[in-house]
Amino acid sequence: MDKKSKLIKQILKFGVVGGLSFVIDFVITLIVSTVLRTVGMSVENAATVAGLFGFMISLIFNYIMSMKFVFERKEDMDRKKEFIIFALLSAIGLGINELILYFGVLICNTQMPAIVDAYPTIVTAGVKIIATGIVMVYNFVSRKMTLEKKD
């Protein structure tokens, strides 16, 4: 298989693993943010805190599936170091995700507060989708550069 075909296959696998991770992250984010709003937390703070919960659970799933199906492990790297690097790269992605969630919802709330008041879950979901797209590109590139065995 040539390099281009191998890369396309890898991106497709990354997309499947990422898609499943996204569903886990997304559902947990929406459930937790809804619960937090019911106890009085603001929409943007609830989205940010809930995003952390969704991220943590999906990170573990994503690591296991990515290293099993997407990336070719470096033989000279122990699994503990591999997970730490994966987690650190993911933490940077989390930072990007959290900033986009917080400021995206805050901007929506500033520009169209009536819509955010009426549909907070839909606004959170829309911003989360945008954040996920941006972080997905970062995750693939950073993991490929640092974790994958070089040809």
Side-chain angles (χ1 to χ4, degrees):
M1 182 180 303
D2 67 336
K3 281 188 172 191
K4 184 177 180 182
S5 297
K6 185 178 175 186
L7 179 62
I8 290 169
K9 186 175 178 183
Q10 185 180 35
I11 290 170
L12 291 174
K13 287 179 185 178
F14 181 81
V16 170
V17 169
L20 293 171
S21 297
F22 170 75
V23 169
I24 292 166
D25 185 1
F26 189 76
V27 169
I28 290 169
T29 298
L30 293 183
I31 290 169
V32 173
S33 68
T34 300
V35 170
L36 292 174
R37 285 193 316 272
T38 63
V39 297
M41 191 176 278
S42 71
V43 178
E44 58 271 11
N45 287 333
T48 306
V49 171
L52 180 61
F53 281 93
F55 169 82
M56 297 297 277
I57 293 167
S58 70
L59 168 70
I60 294 165
F61 171 83
N62 195 298
Y63 169 72
I64 293 166
M65 301 307 282
S66 289
M67 298 317 293
K68 184 172 180 130
F69 297 112
V70 179
F71 299 107
E72 240 181 282
R73 289 190 143 112
K74 291 181 177 180
E75 288 124 23
D76 62 341
M77 185 182 294
D78 70 51
R79 299 301 166 246
K80 184 178 178 182
K81 181 178 180 182
E82 181 183 79
F83 180 75
I84 290 169
I85 292 169
F86 190 95
L88 287 173
L89 294 172
S90 297
I92 294 168
L94 171 63
I96 296 166
N97 178 73
E98 292 291 278
L99 286 170
I100 294 169
L101 266 175
Y102 182 82
F103 288 108
V105 173
L106 183 64
I107 290 167
C108 290
N109 205 13
T110 302
Q111 299 298 314
M112 45 190 176
I115 292 173
V116 175
D117 285 344
Y119 307 103
T121 301
I122 292 172
V123 172
T124 299
V127 175
K128 178 69 175 171
I129 290 168
I130 292 166
T132 298
I134 293 167
V135 172
M136 189 173 175
V137 172
Y138 160 77
N139 281 339
F140 181 79
V141 172
S142 66
R143 291 172 188 167
K144 185 155 182 67
M145 290 174 47
T146 58
L147 294 173
E148 186 165 62
K149 179 174 98 175
K150 305 293 183 241
D151 288 335

